[in-house]
Amino acid sequence: MSQAATTPATSFPFLSERHLDPHAYPDGVAFLDGQYLPMSQAKISVLDWGFLHSDATYDTVHVWDGRFFRLNLHLDRFFGGLEKLRMTIPFDRGGVAEILHNCVALSGHRAAYVEMLCTRGASPTFSRDPRQAINRFMAFAVPFGSVANAEQLRSGLHVAISDKVRIPPASIDPSIKNYHWLDLVRGLYDAYDRGADTALILDFNGNVAEGPGFNVFCVKDGKLSTPAAGVLPGITRRTVFDLCAEASLSAVATEVSVASLKEADEVFITSTAGGLMPVTMIDGAPVAAGKVGPITEHLMGLYWKRHEDPAWSNAVRYP
């Protein structure tokens, strides 16, 4: 008898009719392909250019106490990104705003992190030409999450400055909110290795740029400054400028060196995911006295107070 005759035939794996997802997801509601779905059911193809090439733009807005905060500014930035990336979606500003409202209302969340995004999509023929991809819009609302937890908001964050360099604006326009985060993620691991909570990375001239999902401000002699070049012009960053104008505080966008950041009287970071958040330690050394400063505290109070202002916020229409 031959070897082939005694060797059992190889059995092929079973081809499943659909994917059974073993992963857990936050409680929330997504909009995809005209449908409102639980977060666990919101999927994209592995052939989508958003996944394969990080070819996407997005924006995030938060809901606090049942109200969207500065939604119009987030819509401005999202539609600006679509135009710059030559993407189109079948909804105008009013349509996107309605979808976001519906996601929040259906989720029931009174405090939510809400995202609108568009990927390049996939080509039906797997073409390498981005013009042949069908752009794909989606949105979702999940429970609000902050860069800083309650204790860090009270006593301040420990930030480490990584030597990683942010993608220069000559390569990627930073005003287009995007998922090019590998430089930021590498910076985060540098920070974790040094016992810090989060990271700041550098711009192409060796000055401070931004962190993963946030801008940074420093206060010196009562005056505020924030990096000007190579950073996302954050909505919360803009809100700080607006609040400073109302409070007669000087605030400028300029170069911020590592040395000037470490020598500041106060430092804080800004993000839709958390608002204004104090930094009291940089690279293991305290910022000034190592306590949350008075200007930071004052602006934090003003920021959350403005969430009640109908000129800056919109009520969610819950069922």
Side-chain angles (χ1 to χ4, degrees), residues 79-131:
F79 276 89
L82 291 176
E83 182 178 1
K84 291 174 182 177
L85 292 179
R86 306 190 189 194
M87 292 179 177
T88 59
I89 62 174
F91 308 102
D92 59 13
R93 288 172 59 97
V96 171
E98 181 180 2
I99 289 167
L100 300 181
H101 273 274
N102 290 342
C103 286
V104 177
L106 290 169
S107 76
H109 296 317
R110 302 286 300 181
Y113 178 95
V114 189
E115 186 161 324
M116 62 199 100
L117 62 140
C118 182
T119 69
R120 186 69 60 190
S123 162
T125 62
F126 197 53
S127 167
R128 307 283 291 185
D129 186 340
R131 297 170 298 179

Side-chain angles (χ1 to χ4, degrees), residues 59-210:
D59 215 289
T60 56
V61 58
H62 74 231
V63 168
W64 190 256
D65 197 20
R67 300 182 70 86
F68 280 97
F69 187 62
R70 312 211 82 175
L71 175 58
N72 284 336
L73 295 181
H74 289 279
L75 289 169
D76 287 344
R77 188 169 61 183
F78 179 62
F79 276 89
L82 291 176
E83 182 178 1
K84 291 174 182 177
L85 292 179
R86 306 190 189 194
M87 292 179 177
T88 59
I89 62 174
F91 308 102
D92 59 13
R93 288 172 59 97
V96 171
E98 181 180 2
I99 289 167
L100 300 181
H101 273 274
N102 290 342
C103 286
V104 177
L106 290 169
S107 76
H109 296 317
R110 302 286 300 181
Y113 178 95
V114 189
E115 186 161 324
M116 62 199 100
L117 62 140
C118 182
T119 69
R120 186 69 60 190
S123 162
T125 62
F126 197 53
S127 167
R128 307 283 291 185
D129 186 340
R131 297 170 298 179
Q132 295 183 17
I134 300 171
N135 301 164
R136 203 164 186 211
F137 172 80
M138 56 204 88
F140 63 83
V142 293
F144 179 79
S146 174
V147 174
N149 60 36
E151 173 58 25
Q152 291 164 341
L153 288 171
R154 185 188 67 80
S155 60
L157 288 153
H158 176 192
V159 171
I161 300 176
S162 168
D163 62 0
K164 303 303 181 288
V165 176
R166 192 69 173 114
I167 299 171
S171 298
I172 301 293
D173 181 350
S175 70
I176 305 171
K177 199 167 172 68
N178 61 71
Y179 294 124
H180 300 290
W181 268 49
L182 288 183
D183 47 2
L184 295 167
V185 171
R186 293 180 69 207
L188 263 180
Y189 274 98
D190 289 343
Y192 296 153
D193 289 344
R194 290 148 62 183
D197 301 313
T198 190
L200 286 165
I201 65 174
L202 306 177
D203 69 13
F204 45 91
N205 290 319
N207 295 306
V208 176
E210 60 187 342

Side-chain angles (χ1 to χ4, degrees), residues 196-236:
D197 301 313
T198 190
L200 286 165
I201 65 174
L202 306 177
D203 69 13
F204 45 91
N205 290 319
N207 295 306
V208 176
E210 60 187 342
F214 58 81
N215 297 114
V216 63
F217 282 81
C218 60
V219 182
K220 187 67 176 180
D221 299 327
K223 299 179 179 180
L224 288 79
S225 58
T226 189
V231 301
L232 175 76
I235 304 302
T236 313

